[in-house]
Amino acid sequence: MIRRRRAREPCEQRGSSDDHRRPIPVHAYLADRSTTILEGVLLFVVHPASTGSKVDSVPPPTIVALIPARYASTRLPGKALADLDGRPMIEHVYRRVAASRILSEVIVATDDLRIATRVHDFGGKARLTRATHTTGTDRLAEVAASLDCDIVVNVQGDEPLLDPRSIDELVAPFASDRSLQITTLFRRIHDLAELSNPNVTKVVIDRAGFALYFSRSPIPYVRNPPGGWPPLYRHIGLYAYRRSALLVLAALEPTPLERAESLEQLRALEHGIRIKAVETEYESFGVDTP
C-alpha cells in the first residue's frame, strides 16, 4: 500500500543553519514547493517529441513537367520536329526543361508517333495520347491522370530558348500558399508594338497578384495615354497546376471566352478558378511562324 507523506516545512527539510550545505532529499525539495510525494514511486521527466524530427518533416512535392506537342500545328505544321542547329525543336525544349533542378521527371505528351520516336531517339520520355484532344490542357490531363505527382508543369513545345530558372519561379508560390491551384508567368511590356500583336497574349493582374483576364487584344484600353500608361504585361505561356486542379479543369466544358480568344487559360477564369501570376525577367521566344 502506498502511503502519502506529509510535506514538511522548509526548515525541517534543510535542518539547522549549521548543516545547510548537506544535500537536500528529492522528496524534500519537491515538498518545499507544496508537492505531495508518493513513497515508492519514481518520477520521470518526459520531454515532448521534437517537431523538427525527420518523422514530422513534410516531404517536398513531386513535380513533373509535361510538354504537349502535336504535329498538326495550325500556324506551323510539324514545328516540333523542325530542325534547329541540327536538332529537332522538341529536343531543344526537352533539354532546357530537364535542366531545372526541381523536376523529378520530364515527359512529352504527343499524339504523333513521329514525335514520340524522335524523343526516344535522343533519350527522352514520351507518352502517346489520343488524337481527339482539342487543347494542350486536355492532352496533359490524359497523361497526368496516370502519374503519381503533386504538381504538373506545362511547358509549350515551341519554347526552344526557355530559361530553366523560370520553372523555379513558376512553382515557388506553391510552397507558401497551399490554396493555390494554378500559377503562370508574366513580364512587363517595353515595346508598345507587342500590344497590337495578336500572337502576344496580354494579361491584367489584380492587387493580390492574380490574373483578371488574358487577351490577344491590347488590354487594358488606355483612353488617355498622355495621362500616364499603367503597367502593361505580356503573358508567358508556362503553367503549373496541382495535379487535382488540372484534372478538374480538363473535365470542364470549354467556355465562350476561351473559344473567342483561343486561349485555354480563360476556361479556368470563367469557371472561377484563380490563376496566380508571377512576374519574371526571363524572356519567352515561342516559335509560331516559319
Side-chain angles (χ1 to χ4, degrees):
M1 178 178 179
I2 298 175
R3 295 182 293 104
R4 295 183 181 273
R5 176 179 295 176
R6 179 181 61 84
R8 300 177 181 175
E9 295 298 324
C11 61
E12 293 180 296
Q13 298 159 6
R14 293 184 173 85
S16 64
S17 58
D18 294 333
D19 58 359
H20 68 279
R21 294 181 179 274
R22 289 185 299 173
I24 302 173
V26 173
H27 69 271
Y29 177 81
L30 295 176
D32 190 19
R33 285 152 177 77
S34 302
T35 303
T36 300
I37 304 300
L38 299 180
E39 287 187 344
V41 177
L42 295 178
L43 302 179
F44 296 91
V45 177
V46 180
H47 296 282
S50 172
T51 56
S53 66
K54 293 183 179 180
V55 175
D56 296 334
S57 61
V58 178
T62 302
I63 307 169
V64 175
L66 298 181
I67 306 173
R70 63 192 186 101
Y71 193 87
S73 173
T74 303
R75 290 188 290 269
L76 184 58
K79 67 178 178 180
L81 299 181
D83 185 272
L84 294 178
D85 197 25
R87 294 179 177 178
M89 183 186 301
I90 192 63
E91 181 176 353
H92 287 279
V93 177
Y94 191 100
R95 294 186 183 280
R96 289 272 183 165
V97 175
S100 171
R101 298 180 179 180
I102 66 172
L103 300 175
S104 60
E105 194 172 14
V106 181
I107 303 172
V108 173
T110 181
D111 62 351
D112 194 281
L113 185 59
R114 289 167 291 186
I115 295 176
T117 300
R118 291 299 296 271
V119 172
H120 287 300
D121 287 345
F122 65 72
K125 296 181 180 180
R127 296 275 191 93
L128 282 172
T129 65
R130 296 191 301 272
T132 54
H133 294 304
T134 57
T135 68
T137 302
D138 299 333
R139 193 178 312 283
L140 294 184
E142 180 185 341
V143 176
S146 63
L147 298 177
D148 182 14
C149 64
D150 302 300
I151 296 173
V152 175
V153 175
N154 176 3
V155 181
Q156 301 303 313
D158 58 0
E159 295 277 353
L161 300 180
L162 172 78
D163 192 310
R165 291 171 293 183
S166 62
I167 297 177
D168 301 345
E169 291 182 328
L170 179 70
V171 174
F174 288 100
S176 57
D177 189 345
R178 297 176 64 88
S179 68
L180 289 182
Q181 300 300 310
I182 306 174
T183 62
T184 193
L185 298 179
F186 71 94
R187 69 166 180 82
R188 288 180 179 266
I189 291 177
H190 301 291
D191 182 0
L192 293 182
E194 291 184 323
L195 279 177
S196 58
N197 185 349
N199 293 322
V200 175
T201 301
K202 277 69 69 175
V203 59
V204 287
I205 313 295
D206 70 13
R207 291 183 177 272
F210 288 88
L212 290 171
Y213 191 66
F214 300 86
S215 181
R216 297 184 183 277
S217 299
I219 55 172
Y221 171 74
V222 182
R223 182 175 181 179
N224 185 20
W229 287 85
L232 303 173
Y233 300 126
R234 170 179 180 162
H235 178 229
I236 306 298
L238 272 71
Y239 302 90
Y241 310 84
R242 293 199 187 275
R243 176 180 173 275
S244 56
L246 175 59
L247 299 182
V248 168
L249 183 62
L252 297 174
E253 289 294 325
T255 57
L257 292 176
E258 174 189 357
R259 293 192 183 99
E261 296 264 15
S262 189
L263 295 174
E264 302 168 36
Q265 62 268 37
L266 291 176
R267 185 190 309 182
L269 295 187
E270 286 192 81
H271 283 287
I273 302 174
R274 304 178 78 192
I275 301 176
K276 181 70 173 181
V278 181
E279 187 168 7
T280 182
E281 293 298 324
Y282 300 117
E283 294 284 352
S284 172
F285 300 96
V287 179
D288 293 316
T289 56

